[in-house]
Amino acid sequence: MNDLRVVAFDLDDTLAVSKSRIDRRMAELLGHLLNEVEVLIISGGRFEQFESQVLAHLELTEEQRGRLHLMPTCGTRYYRWQDLAWRQVYAEDLSAADKARVIEVLTESAKALDLWEAKTWGDVIEDRGSQITFSALGQSAPPDEKYGWDPDGGKKKRLRDAVAEKLPDLEVRGGGSTSIDVTRKGVDKAYGMRKLLECLDLKTDNVLFVGDRLDDGGNDYPVKAMGIQCVPVTRWQETADYVEALVDDLVKLRAQRA
């Protein structure tokens, strides 16, 4: 606790219901946490998803915004608040040829495994620049439909394994409840965390990560594998309870140091 400098979070099913705005309680708790430490949000969604789900619902001072770090598309992009705006620090984009190859493999593999659904909500495959994401029910599927599609993770694992075998030169990981994410080789959430540590001149002991996909093959697992202390959760309410207790501890620690 004495060495804690950054608390990092996944977004969907960690800070909020999948593809939904954060609850007011969670927004207030993030503000309190930003008074004590730096905060990172690292998730598979695009920056626009971060804006609609989180940023639009936070009431932060300039100092708090300066402590907030954003890494969309599983750490393949990094944004910081600079000069009164969110500025991109880096982007590890896929080449046009790789994008076309990934889309073809995802499509063929999903159809071969009978995982190409007839009823969908929005795009099934989305080009996010630095990441190609397959969402079995579409990008805008209702949360209840998504949670019911693959409750034990078996469908997603079969698809992930099939795609990874055909794309050994790229990174293929399970994403959210219905999704598969493909990025450049070695560019995953651990890559993003290492970039953050380098930027802030920190060590792994200075960081705590909270996420819902810490299982082997999940897109949070690389963070766990690099030795960062992790807190597993299954829904945002668990995260909120944990953050509330953590803020109380940090406030007491600051008072003791004063």
Side-chain angles (χ1 to χ4, degrees):
M1 181 68 68
N2 288 331
D3 296 328
L4 184 62
R5 295 280 303 281
V6 178
V7 180
F9 298 93
D10 175 49
L11 177 48
D12 282 343
D13 298 321
T14 298
L15 289 178
V17 173
S18 179
K19 295 294 198 303
S20 304
R21 60 168 289 178
I22 59 172
D23 185 84
R24 177 176 294 181
R25 180 189 176 205
M26 192 73 252
E28 292 176 352
L29 285 169
L30 286 177
H32 295 322
L33 186 60
L34 282 163
N35 288 330
E36 308 301 327
V37 293
E38 309 265 338
V39 170
L40 166 68
I41 301 175
I42 179 169
S43 191
R46 301 167 64 112
F47 178 74
E48 291 80 4
Q49 184 179 333
F50 282 47
E51 287 184 303
S52 62
Q53 285 188 253
V54 181
L55 299 179
H57 312 291
L58 296 180
E59 296 181 5
L60 303 178
T61 64
E62 289 297 299
E63 183 178 358
Q64 287 171 318
R65 286 191 181 93
R67 290 182 173 181
L68 180 58
H69 307 260
L70 305 174
M71 289 188 173
T73 51
C74 293
T76 62
R77 293 173 182 265
Y78 178 25
Y79 292 81
R80 294 197 67 176
W81 183 259
Q82 298 172 339
D83 300 324
L84 302 180
W86 291 105
R87 309 290 183 180
Q88 182 175 281
V89 178
Y90 70 74
E92 300 290 356
D93 288 338
L94 291 161
S95 68
D98 279 341
K99 290 178 182 180
R101 186 162 56 100
V102 170
I103 291 171
E104 181 179 3
V105 169
L106 283 169
T107 303
E108 291 179 350
S109 299
K111 290 180 177 179
L113 293 170
D114 198 26
L115 297 177
W116 192 270
E117 301 293 339
K119 182 178 182 181
T120 58
W121 293 261
D123 295 335
V124 172
I125 297 179
E126 185 180 22
D127 178 357
R128 298 178 178 176
S130 52
Q131 176 179 293
I132 302 295
T133 296
F134 169 90
S135 297
L137 299 180
Q139 298 295 325
S140 303
D144 287 347
E145 294 284 346
K146 294 171 68 173
Y147 297 146
W149 182 74
D150 186 25
D152 66 355
K155 293 179 180 178
K156 196 168 61 174
K157 185 179 186 304
R158 292 200 306 276
L159 180 57
R160 182 265 162 201
D161 290 348
V163 172
E165 184 176 354
K166 296 176 182 177
L167 299 173
D169 57 321
L170 297 173
E171 199 73 40
V172 184
R173 291 199 174 272
S177 52
T178 66
S179 63
I180 300 293
D181 298 325
V182 184
T183 62
R184 290 174 54 186
K185 194 69 173 180
V187 183
D188 53 17
K189 288 190 177 181
Y191 176 90
M193 296 300 294
R194 286 191 292 270
K195 284 285 192 179
L196 184 73
L197 293 177
E198 179 183 332
C199 178
L200 299 180
D201 192 24
L202 299 177
K203 299 178 181 178
T204 55
D205 292 345
N206 300 131
V207 183
L208 175 72
F209 179 82
V210 184
D212 72 309
R213 299 286 174 180
L214 288 162
D215 54 297
D216 191 359
N219 65 2
D220 293 333
Y221 180 76
V223 180
K224 180 180 179 180
M226 68 180 289
I228 287 177
Q229 181 182 351
C230 294
V231 177
V233 295
T234 59
R235 55 197 182 101
W236 75 264
Q237 290 92 338
E238 291 180 34
T239 305
D241 290 344
Y242 179 80
V243 172
E244 186 171 26
L246 178 62
V247 168
D248 286 344
D249 289 341
L250 291 171
V251 169
K252 290 176 183 176
L253 182 61
R254 176 160 52 87
Q256 291 172 4
R257 290 172 173 171

